């Protein structure tokens, strides 16, 4: 887990990055090309785009925020990969107004589906951007993690409300418009014509452990990272993860 190419916000990104990096490596090997074309929808300031560019890939980031794209440009320049990272203002539902259909080996759709009115249409747009045999990395907020967090905070009525709310929201003050179960996300991926390659629970424990324990206990960060990696693929823990990651693969 000491790979210097990995995003350094490790507790929040490590599991997803390792899965994504492996998928990109497999794509590169299968295609016989060292440099892939990667699309990062809602990629913001480049948490995944810049590390992917460090691997040698060409990354296009589509994001609605001009400020995020400005920060992305600065971050890519500081990392020495400005020539491999391109930022474009737009959103996933208007994706083909700004990028080519079927032009990418891999598409990242991280933290996007929670905020679109039609998640299924968003996934279809992402899939339509893929070349044959391309890969989709889908990351979204998990329902179970929110229910558990509200219950542990003593907000039992809100926790129960999230369970029965169609969007998985715990109340009007909930800042997240929509949450998903692993089954729902997998269904969106398969419904768009992809094979579900893997499902991972993300931040199963990281958001529940008091920060003071992680910051002050020697070796705690690495130990927690190893624990997160160990449970990520276990279905029993998907139901309590803060986020869910699904890797989909396009049939050739």
């Amino acid at each position: 887990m000491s790979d210097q190419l990995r995003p350094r916000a490790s507790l929040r990104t490590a599991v997803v990055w390792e899965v994504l990096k492996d998928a990109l490596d497999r794509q590169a090997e299968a295609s016989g090309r060292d440099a892939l074309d990667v699309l990062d929808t809602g990629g913001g300031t480049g948490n995944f785009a810049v590390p992917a560019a460090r691997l040698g890939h060409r990354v296009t980031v589509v994001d609605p925020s001009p400020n995020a794209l400005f920060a992305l440009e600065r971050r890519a320049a500081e990392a020495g990969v400005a020539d491999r990272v391109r930022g474009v203002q737009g959103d996933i539902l208007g994706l083909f107004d700004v990028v080519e259909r079927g032009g990418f080996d891999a598409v990242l759709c991280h933290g996007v589906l929670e905020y679109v009115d039609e998640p299924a249409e968003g996934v279809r747009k992402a899939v339509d951007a893929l070349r044959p045999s391309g890969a989709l990395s889908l990351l979204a907020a998990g329902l179970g993690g929110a229910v558990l967090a509200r219950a542990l905070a003593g907000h039992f009525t809100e926790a129960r409300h999230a369970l029965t709310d169609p969007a998985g929201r715990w109340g009007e003050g909930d800042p997240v418009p929509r949450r998903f179960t692993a089954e729902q996300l997998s269904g969106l991926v398969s419904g768009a014509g992809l094979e579900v390659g893997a499902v991972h629970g993300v931040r199963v424990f990281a958001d529940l452990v008091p920060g003071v324990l992680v910051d002050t206990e020697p070796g705690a960060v690495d130990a927690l990272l190893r624990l997160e990696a160990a449970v990520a693929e276990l279905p029993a823990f998907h139901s309590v993860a803060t986020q869910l990651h699904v890797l989909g693969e396009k049939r050739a």
Side-chain angles (χ1 to χ4, degrees), residues 23-172:
L24 293 175
D25 289 345
R26 290 196 304 272
Q27 287 284 315
E29 183 178 0
S31 67
R33 292 181 287 119
D34 293 332
L36 302 176
D37 294 303
V38 178
L39 174 64
D40 190 353
T41 64
T45 60
N47 284 342
F48 290 92
V50 170
R54 282 185 180 142
L55 293 175
H57 305 305
R58 297 176 292 268
V59 187
T60 299
V61 175
V62 175
D63 196 279
S65 169
N67 291 337
L69 293 175
F70 178 77
L72 167 71
E73 182 179 356
R74 184 175 63 244
R75 186 173 187 173
E78 291 172 351
V81 294
D83 59 328
R84 293 195 293 273
V85 176
R86 178 173 72 106
V88 182
Q89 188 172 1
D91 60 50
I92 195 165
L93 294 183
L95 193 58
F96 301 118
D97 295 334
V98 294
V99 301
E100 177 187 359
R101 186 185 298 268
F104 299 91
D105 301 292
V107 174
L108 282 58
C109 184
H110 295 173
V112 173
L113 296 187
E114 298 94 324
Y115 300 95
V116 298
D117 292 333
E118 301 177 31
E121 179 64 17
V123 174
R124 283 194 293 269
K125 294 280 188 181
V127 171
D128 286 345
L130 286 171
R131 291 172 177 153
S133 302
L136 171 66
S137 175
L138 183 63
L139 181 70
L143 171 63
V147 173
L148 183 60
R150 298 316 288 173
L152 291 177
H155 303 299
F156 307 122
T157 300
E158 291 178 351
R160 187 172 180 275
H161 186 276
L163 279 174
T164 58
D165 183 72
R169 304 183 76 231
W170 47 256
E172 293 184 2

Side-chain angles (χ1 to χ4, degrees), residues 225-234:
L225 280 170
R226 289 193 294 271
L227 178 60
E228 290 279 355
V231 303
E233 290 192 62
L234 300 178

